[in-house]
Amino acid sequence: MIGISRTKLFALQALVAAVALLIWHVGSTVPIGGTYLLPKFFFSTPGDVIARIWKLFAGGQIWKHLSITLTETVLAFLIGSVGGVLFGFWFARKPIVAAVFDPYVKMANALPRVVLAPIFMLWLGLGIWSKVALGVTLVFFIVFFNVYQGVKEVSSVVLANARLMGMNERQLFRHVYWPSALSWMFSSLHTSVGFALVGAVVGEYLGSAAGLGYLIHEAEGVFDVTGVFAGMVILAAFVLFIDWLVTLIENRLLVWRPQPASHA
Amino acid sequence: MVVLRVIERDAPGAKPPAVALDAVSIAYGGGAQPVYEAVAPTTLRVAESEFVAIVGPTGCGKSTLLNAAAGLLKPASGAVSIFGEPLSGLNGKAGYLFQQDALMPWKTALENVAIALEVGGMASAEARKQAKAWLARVGLSAFADRYPHQLSGGQRKRVGLAQVLIRDPKILLMDEPFGPLDAQTRQIMGTLLLDLWATDRKAVLFVTHDLEEAIALADRVVIMSCGPKARIIGDHAIDLPRPRDVAEVRLDPRFHTLHRAIWSELRDEVTKAYGAAT
């Protein structure tokens, strides 16, 4: 693949982490000429952060935050995807609708979503739904544009062949448009799941009573840098876990797709 | 349709041709753009059980004639009739084999063939059974569960052929179907096509730029001039005996005589097309 064995690759990857942790550890605990390179107050120490993570999991309170964030992410992803698929199909099949709404879609997509957070909090309260709404506005546009493209870019030859086979509109939808749109949607699955999570965490950060974003915000409020770093590490691990789940789903659903050249 | 023209020049009682293009012309553009007349009014008939090949330089409107016969393209003037009936919309009696890949990449070889029957309302189990039999006929039994990207170019063409033939169309329209394949695979595919065709002798309209392929396969070779305003400039009966082996028929002295006669006509057009393109 890239010329080295899996074990060697893993060893090198682990080495990068070890070096980074070592620099962090030395910088924050060993004084050089009387001063710390990475003062504890601003950077905490790797030992403290690990201890804090351990405490969070051992105490059990982390599971509540994780499940809240996961729920928000999943809901934002599902609602955003369903909306994106419906509108993507509608716009692609009805060029007039697409032309009429074009400037508004562009405008809505150009808007930085963070500014919507206060509005959603006013409308939907501090519970999970204001975070879900924020995630939906992010996921919707990704899925929408991909489905729109997927339906638009169906190979004209495949389409002509299917029509000559005698397919009616319903069959064309099922056997041609839908699989094509789905493949485009799945190619953006990692991005859209990631954005669902961003929406959830940013929403929590801006105002909530639970979730990983809340955890980090709370720690920041009392200058608890160890808590902020612990939250970040848990968040990163959580993202990797979700990304791994998405890859599993993707591999199952897109068996027909040729592997990209770099993986072959 | 305001003007209905009845064009029936065949002798009364005679069977109508499978495909009749009567003074069909094809044009693009119009409106703000200048009209580009790709094909000048052209008349071409394909009788039942007749294998007709259209030969001409690349990019000369051969495929557009085929698309008119398939109903994919509306002629600017003239009439298309299929078994004597004027064609409106898509040609349901025809199977079309495209030059490019037309298989659905998200379906396996078996599913791609079976779907051709399923769209007509056949139960999935029965359609799959027949599709399996067809994959066997094109020599792909072992590849039924492969996706198109896992098949070679020649194998994809075989699946395409099975997908078209399983519906038992009365007419076969083929647009340089073996164009992208290498020379050996083309000959193997040609022989396979003739073997399958021999069982029920459908009417075939076969477009190619390869004169040798045309002579080896067809009953009649039609030469088209180079566009714009492409037209038919030659029509040759090929009296080579059948069954033919596409590779071996090329060694036949009669093949050479025919080839020389047709090539002398075609050469000028190819030179012209080449000159126009460069």
Side-chain angles (χ1 to χ4, degrees):
Chain A
M1 199 162 67
I2 39 177
I4 56 169
S5 71
R6 278 183 78 99
T7 12
K8 210 170 165 189
L9 180 66
F10 183 73
L12 286 172
Q13 287 171 336
L15 186 68
V16 172
V19 168
L21 283 174
L22 190 71
I23 293 174
W24 185 9
H25 180 73
V26 170
S28 58
T29 56
V30 181
I32 298 167
T35 55
Y36 291 97
L37 211 56
L38 303 168
K40 229 176 183 175
F41 181 76
F42 293 114
F43 294 94
S44 188
T45 71
D48 286 351
V49 170
I50 292 165
R52 177 66 66 86
I53 294 170
W54 177 254
K55 213 180 101 193
L56 281 170
F57 277 97
Q61 69 265 55
I62 190 69
W63 299 113
K64 187 188 89 183
H65 297 296
L66 275 176
S67 74
I68 294 273
T69 303
L70 184 66
T71 312
E72 289 162 358
T73 304
V74 169
L75 282 172
F77 173 72
L78 288 181
I79 298 171
S81 295
V82 169
V85 166
L86 288 178
F87 279 90
F89 261 105
W90 188 39
F91 278 39
R93 302 294 286 137
K94 299 263 185 284
I96 296 172
V97 176
V100 168
F101 280 95
D102 182 62
Y104 303 105
V105 169
K106 283 204 181 110
M107 203 172 90
N109 189 37
L111 191 72
R113 279 352 107 69
V114 179
V115 304
L116 292 175
I119 307 246
F120 287 141
M121 297 212 181
L122 279 176
W123 289 349
L124 302 166
L126 291 175
I128 67 165
W129 290 105
S130 56
K131 286 86 201 169
V132 171
L134 197 58
V136 165
T137 60
L138 290 163
V139 172
F140 172 83
F141 284 99
I142 298 167
V143 175
F144 168 80
F145 284 120
N146 274 287
V147 168
Y148 181 75
Q149 202 71 5
V151 174
K152 279 270 182 199
E153 306 230 328
V154 169
S155 149
S156 60
V157 176
V158 171
L159 202 57
N161 191 38
R163 280 192 206 281
L164 280 166
M165 217 179 260
M167 282 196 195
N168 55 33
E169 279 298 312
R170 203 175 50 81
Q171 288 166 325
L172 280 179
F173 174 83
R174 190 177 143 202
H175 296 291
V176 182
Y177 289 121
W178 176 245
S180 175
L182 208 61
S183 76
W184 276 75
M185 195 187 124
F186 274 100
S187 68
S188 66
L189 201 60
H190 289 276
T191 327
S192 50
V193 168
F195 271 109
L197 188 67
V198 167
V201 172
V202 169
E204 287 164 0
Y205 185 85
L206 291 175
S208 68
L212 283 177
Y214 165 76
L215 207 65
I216 294 173
H217 187 236
E218 200 192 31
E220 193 197 325
V222 295
F223 297 107
D224 174 14
V225 179
T226 308
V228 173
F229 274 107
M232 273 162 48
V233 170
I234 294 171
L235 188 59
F238 184 62
V239 173
L240 283 178
F241 170 71
I242 289 188
D243 205 57
W244 171 75
L245 274 184
V246 170
T247 308
L248 278 190
I249 296 170
E250 199 179 37
N251 287 346
R252 266 204 78 91
L253 286 173
L254 292 181
V255 276
W256 58 268
R257 213 167 49 166
Q259 290 290 310
S262 60
H263 290 239
Chain B
M1 272 301 213
V2 187
V3 187
L4 274 174
R5 279 191 295 168
V6 179
I7 302 172
E8 192 53 282
R9 279 181 294 229
D10 302 294
K15 271 191 184 173
V19 179
L21 305 174
D22 282 296
V24 164
S25 74
I26 315 270
Y28 298 105
Q33 290 163 338
V35 175
Y36 175 77
E37 193 175 17
V39 180
T42 298
T43 297
L44 176 69
R45 273 137 206 272
V46 182
E48 239 175 279
S49 346
E50 192 182 22
F51 197 129
V52 175
I54 305 179
V55 186
T58 309
C60 275
K62 301 168 302 210
S63 304
T64 50
L65 267 189
L66 205 62
N67 289 343
L72 287 170
L73 196 71
K74 228 175 135 42
S77 67
V80 181
S81 8
I82 304 301
F83 292 106
E85 305 273 330
L87 177 66
S88 67
L90 288 176
N91 186 346
K93 292 201 169 69
Y96 196 118
L97 199 59
F98 289 85
Q99 179 180 12
Q100 307 93 324
D101 274 321
L103 299 176
M104 285 166 256
W106 40 83
K107 288 186 188 292
T108 62
L110 184 70
E111 287 166 351
N112 259 296
V113 179
I115 188 73
L117 292 176
E118 283 167 18
V119 293
M122 185 184 281
S124 175
E126 175 61 21
R128 273 164 183 266
K129 210 179 97 193
Q130 292 193 26
K132 263 190 191 135
W134 264 101
L135 282 179
R137 287 182 79 176
V138 297
L140 285 181
S141 293
F143 300 90
D145 294 325
R146 297 272 187 99
Y147 288 93
H149 80 270
Q150 298 167 319
L151 299 169
S152 71
Q155 288 168 332
R156 285 203 288 271
K157 285 293 167 210
R158 286 166 189 259
V159 177
L161 201 56
Q163 188 188 53
V164 165
L165 290 175
I166 197 169
R167 287 175 56 228
D168 195 23
K170 298 280 168 286
I171 303 162
L172 210 49
L173 304 172
M174 308 176 92
D175 180 15
E176 302 202 24
F178 311 142
L181 305 178
D182 63 77
Q184 281 72 36
T185 314
R186 290 175 75 145
Q187 293 188 353
I188 293 167
M189 289 302 293
T191 307
L192 173 70
L193 173 64
L194 284 187
D195 286 347
L196 293 171
W197 176 73
T199 57
D200 57 357
R201 298 220 168 194
K202 301 172 190 307
V204 180
L205 193 53
F206 187 101
V207 164
T208 176
H209 62 265
D210 181 349
L211 179 56
E212 289 192 26
E213 185 176 57
I215 299 174
L217 294 173
D219 295 321
R220 231 172 86 210
V221 172
V222 172
I223 311 288
M224 276 195 85
S225 77
C226 195
K229 298 199 178 185
R231 62 204 165 80
I232 290 175
I233 52 167
D235 193 332
H236 301 261
I238 306 297
D239 50 6
L240 293 164
R242 290 194 191 269
R244 298 178 197 162
D245 180 295
V246 173
E248 278 167 25
V249 78
R250 289 168 203 239
L251 308 173
D252 195 304
R254 180 76 193 132
F255 182 93
H256 288 281
T257 318
L258 286 163
H259 189 273
R260 210 170 299 132
I262 303 173
W263 174 244
S264 64
E265 272 179 20
L266 190 58
R267 186 176 44 209
D268 295 341
E269 286 308 320
V270 174
T271 325
K272 238 188 274 172
Y274 186 74
T278 52

